[in-house]
Structure formats: C-alpha cells, structure tokens
C-alpha cells in the first residue's frame, strides 16, 4: 500500500488493491465491484484522505463495521456501535482474518454513507454512532 497522506483520496483493499477516487460516484463504483467480488471472502476497504485520516468498512456481507482513525494516527480510534450481531463478524483485512465485536455491526448503508461523507469532508462522519 502507498504511504499515508498525499494529494488525493485513495481507496485500498486486500494486500495490493488501490484506486485513487475523487468523486462519490467513482468510489461507489469501486466499492460496488469489491462487494460483489467479496461474497465468498468478505474484505475491508479503507479510504485514506490526503491528511492521512482513514475510514474503513467491511464489504461482502449483509452487515458491516466501520472504523475511523484521525490524521495523527494516534488514539482515540473510533468503531461503529450498532445492533449486536447474532453471527460471527469477520472480514479479511491486509492479508489476515480480523474479527470484530458483535456490538459494532451496522447496516451496510450506514457504512456506505460514512464513506461518502468522509470522502467529501475529510472528517469523522456524523451519521455513525461511535
């Protein structure tokens, strides 16, 4: 993966996947494709802003989790808070399976809207309960 920061927003996934995105439509198209391709092995996509702040969400499942890390990369780190899932919540992240707390599960549309808000503002999204 590229180094944090830079001059554009970058969507990253898997061990080597990366795409520069400048519009919500571009980002949505990539995330739609990744979600469809990840039904067998759900993955985490991470959007990196030019400041180095990141937001990530799991794709490929009917539910998701969302994480936000500010530009300093120091705590506090934020994770979505939602309904407690009845199922194991795991996504493939940077080469390994990562399990998430069942209380971090939110609807996929909440995660998608968080990515959109972060892309347009560069700030921690307000539409997610943290």
């Amino acid at each position: 993966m590229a180094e944090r920061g830079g001059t554009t927003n970058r969507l990253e996934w898997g061990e080597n996947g990366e795409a520069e995105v400048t519009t919500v439509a571009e980002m949505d198209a990539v995330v739609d494709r990744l979600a469809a391709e990840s039904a067998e092995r759900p993955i985490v996509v991470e959007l990196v802003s030019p400041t180095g702040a990141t937001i990530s969400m799991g794709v490929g499942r009917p539910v998701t989790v969302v994480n936000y890390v500010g530009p300093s990369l120091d705590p506090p780190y934020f994770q979505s808070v939602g309904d407690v899932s009845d199922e194991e919540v795991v996504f493939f992240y940077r080469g390994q399976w990562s399990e998430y707390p069942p209380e971090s599960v939110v609807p996929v549309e909440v995660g998608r809207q968080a990515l959109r808000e972060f892309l347009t503002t560069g700030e921690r999204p307000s539409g997610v309960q943290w």
Side-chain angles (χ1 to χ4, degrees):
M1 300 293 159
E3 291 198 25
R4 298 285 182 228
T7 59
T8 60
N9 291 290
R10 194 175 57 257
L11 196 62
E12 300 178 352
W13 63 93
E15 295 181 58
N16 299 322
E18 186 176 306
E20 288 187 6
V21 291
T22 56
T23 68
V24 168
E26 288 175 345
M27 182 186 65
D28 279 347
V30 175
V31 174
D32 287 343
R33 177 178 57 82
L34 293 171
E37 293 173 357
S38 301
E40 296 294 316
R41 187 171 90 169
I43 63 170
V44 171
V45 297
E46 188 170 39
L47 182 60
V48 183
S49 78
T51 67
T54 65
I55 191 164
S56 62
M57 74 171 279
V59 299
R61 291 189 169 281
V63 294
T64 193
V65 295
V66 182
N67 293 287
Y68 171 82
V69 177
S72 72
L73 305 180
D74 292 327
Y77 306 123
F78 296 88
Q79 187 166 64
S80 55
V81 176
D83 294 331
V84 175
S85 176
D86 291 337
E87 63 181 87
E88 181 180 42
V89 183
V90 295
F91 292 95
F92 204 68
Y93 179 61
R94 299 194 183 254
Q96 63 185 351
W97 287 104
S98 295
E99 186 173 352
Y100 295 86
E103 63 274 7
S104 66
V105 172
V106 295
V108 169
E109 190 51 40
V110 169
R112 293 295 294 268
Q113 192 57 39
L115 285 179
R116 293 175 188 125
E117 184 179 342
F118 181 75
L119 179 72
T120 58
T121 68
E123 301 292 325
R124 180 169 49 101
S126 60
V128 176
Q129 184 178 348
W130 304 102

